[in-house]
Amino acid sequence: MTSADPAVLVLEDGTRYTGRAYGARGRTLGEAVFTTGMTGYQETLTDPSYAGQIVVQTAPHIGNTGVNDEDPESRRIWVAGYVVRDPSRVVSNFRAQRSLDDDLVDNGIVGISGIDTRALTRRIREVGALRAGVFSGDDACLDPEEQLAAVRAGRDMRGLNLSGEVSVAETQVTPAVVADGQQSLGALAVLDLGVKQATVNRLSERGFDVHVMPQSSTLADILAIEPVAVFYSNGPGDPEASGDHVELLQGVLREGLPFFGICFGNQLLGRALGFGTYKLPFGHRGINQPVLDKASGRIEITAHNHGFAVDAPVEGVVDSPAGFGRVEVSHVGLNDQVVEGLRALDVPAFSVQYHPEAAAGPHDSDYLFDRFRELVLARQASQGAQQ
């Protein structure tokens, strides 16, 4: 709902945008990033990968279909703040149960509307993702220098580990979806670094009993459930600050367990294999990113949400610097040639930088869950033949 209350967005370089309050009143700090999706704002807001970030919607009209209790991707809204141009004044959708503004208020999300989001997006593209703050209500009237000082004192995403803020505290199990007399493939250990519910659903539909485990889990914790495979989810933060998760993954690879990682999980596989990671200027966020599958030559339109990437040779097969055999880059982003997927050739592990569950987004990459299932079945067949 449109508000007359003032609000201001302040970037760490001193740029200011004056608009109207949207959602809760007060102040919030975070990294300003933009997402290019024209649909799926409820899924975006509830994606844990956006923790610590003030999200700018490049689509101008937001909130017209309201929100409901079926589409959230996690237990709450995770964005640090929300920036839109024209929030819908009314909700018009048969599935809507309340307005987006209601959910923003209930979750304490401070936002701003009525600003030129195209100009803001161009600014972020020019100089890169910046620390920012949204100030509304009484905080909108603070001295501009005080607001800027608060922004510059905020957290930098570099070196930041956010997994503990978004992960489950205790293991949660989703049983396999089985039909026609089929049986479960067995337990799948999902390390929750910020997993989305759609991902859990896709995995259970492939016949896994999905054990979503806390990010603090040890190798002993994972082995205790006798998993048939391990999965690392998406999530927020700098992969360089997740050394424990890298060490855990190296233990998984030494055990010979099949592994699949997405988004943050791709970056952690890269580091486990011995490659570096780096921060992208403004990241990839949206549901329209073209990616080349090098094996098939097929171009997929994919859903992304990441600010970091793996630093590995795009062409050819290379030896893992950490001693896990041969590795190749399997997928490449066509906009900027960023590594979008890894495949280990001597251990059963692969990953992609994007979101194959695509909620919201296209379903071009849904086949990756089938590939993971086939990898597990192949290992089980091999073990059966050896007995």
Side-chain angles (χ1 to χ4, degrees):
M1 185 174 297
T2 302
S3 166
D5 295 341
V8 61
L9 170 68
V10 181
L11 302 182
E12 66 176 290
D13 65 358
T15 307
R16 299 172 61 86
Y17 299 86
T18 301
R20 300 181 298 274
Y22 186 47
R25 304 310 193 256
R27 79 167 69 178
T28 189
L29 304 174
E31 180 184 61
V33 300
F34 63 86
T35 179
T36 58
M38 295 186 69
T39 62
Y41 57 79
Q42 187 173 357
E43 291 90 339
T44 294
L45 289 165
T46 55
D47 180 351
S49 295
Y50 281 116
Q53 296 176 324
I54 296 174
V55 175
V56 181
Q57 294 275 182
T58 61
H61 302 294
I62 298 296
N64 53 307
T65 57
V67 294
N68 58 59
D69 294 330
E70 297 178 21
D71 294 343
E73 285 301 318
S74 65
R75 58 192 178 276
R76 50 164 286 192
I77 293 178
W78 289 101
V79 302
Y82 202 39
V83 184
V84 303
R85 179 175 174 178
D86 294 319
S88 179
R89 292 172 294 174
V90 296
V91 173
S92 179
N93 187 274
F94 74 98
R95 298 176 67 236
Q97 295 172 276
R98 55 195 174 275
S99 73
L100 174 56
D101 185 66
D102 289 339
D103 267 18
L104 294 173
V105 171
D106 291 344
N107 283 264
I109 307 302
V110 177
I112 184 172
S113 67
I115 72 169
D116 188 343
T117 50
R118 181 159 60 177
L120 173 57
T121 298
R122 288 175 65 90
R123 184 64 181 165
I124 296 172
R125 283 184 61 90
E126 289 170 358
V127 301
L130 296 168
R131 286 176 295 180
V134 178
F135 303 85
S136 66
D138 293 340
D139 287 86
C141 301
L142 294 174
D143 182 81
E145 289 301 318
E146 184 178 350
Q147 294 171 337
L148 181 58
V151 170
R152 290 177 173 171
R155 301 190 296 186
D156 191 314
M157 197 62 69
R158 295 177 183 85
L160 197 58
N161 185 325
L162 294 171
S163 300
E165 298 182 14
V166 299
S167 181
V168 294
E170 298 179 349
T171 298
Q172 300 177 357
V173 180
T174 299
V177 176
V178 294
D180 300 326
Q182 295 180 343
Q183 295 182 337
S184 163
L185 292 179
L188 172 64
V190 173
L191 194 70
D192 180 15
L193 305 170
V195 73
K196 294 170 65 178
Q197 186 58 44
T199 301
V200 175
N201 295 344
R202 299 292 189 278
L203 292 167
S204 68
E205 289 165 1
R206 265 62 179 190
F208 294 106
D209 291 314
V210 183
H211 293 241
V212 177
M213 304 181 69
Q215 60 87 30
S216 58
S217 299
T218 65
L219 183 59
D221 294 331
I222 288 177
L223 296 179
I225 69 169
E226 300 182 351
V228 295
V230 175
F231 180 94
Y232 269 24
S233 78
N234 58 290
D238 185 345
E240 191 171 351
S242 291
D244 289 346
H245 301 138
V246 171
E247 184 178 347
L248 172 61
L249 180 48
Q250 289 176 331
V252 167
L253 298 179
R254 293 189 186 100
E255 290 287 334
L257 287 167
F259 172 81
F260 180 23
I262 67 170
C263 199
F264 198 56
N266 176 71
Q267 297 159 21
L268 294 179
L269 176 61
R271 296 192 68 85
L273 294 173
F275 301 108
T277 50
Y278 63 98
K279 195 174 193 302
L280 294 165
F282 47 82
H284 300 168
R285 296 175 180 88
I287 57 177
N288 52 0
Q289 307 279 337
V291 168
L292 172 66
D293 181 344
K294 292 172 62 180
S296 67
R298 182 170 176 259
I299 296 172
E300 306 167 26
I301 304 303
T302 59
H304 287 226
N305 179 8
H306 66 107
F308 294 84
V310 175
D311 185 7
V314 171
E315 299 298 335
V317 175
V318 298
D319 290 328
S320 159
F324 289 101
R326 298 166 299 152
V327 182
E328 65 179 359
V329 170
S330 58
H331 296 74
V332 178
L334 294 180
N335 286 334
D336 51 14
Q337 297 300 297
V338 165
V339 172
E340 295 290 348
L342 297 168
R343 179 165 55 194
L345 302 181
D346 296 315
V347 293
F350 72 100
S351 60
V352 292
Q353 183 57 69
Y354 46 95
H355 286 241
E357 85 289 341
H363 297 163
D364 294 20
S365 306
D366 195 62
Y367 71 93
L368 289 164
F369 293 107
D370 295 322
R371 179 178 292 178
F372 185 41
R373 171 185 167 86
E374 291 164 3
L375 184 66
V376 173
L377 288 172
R379 181 175 184 268
Q380 291 179 334
S382 175
Q383 290 178 324
Q386 294 175 3
Q387 294 177 351

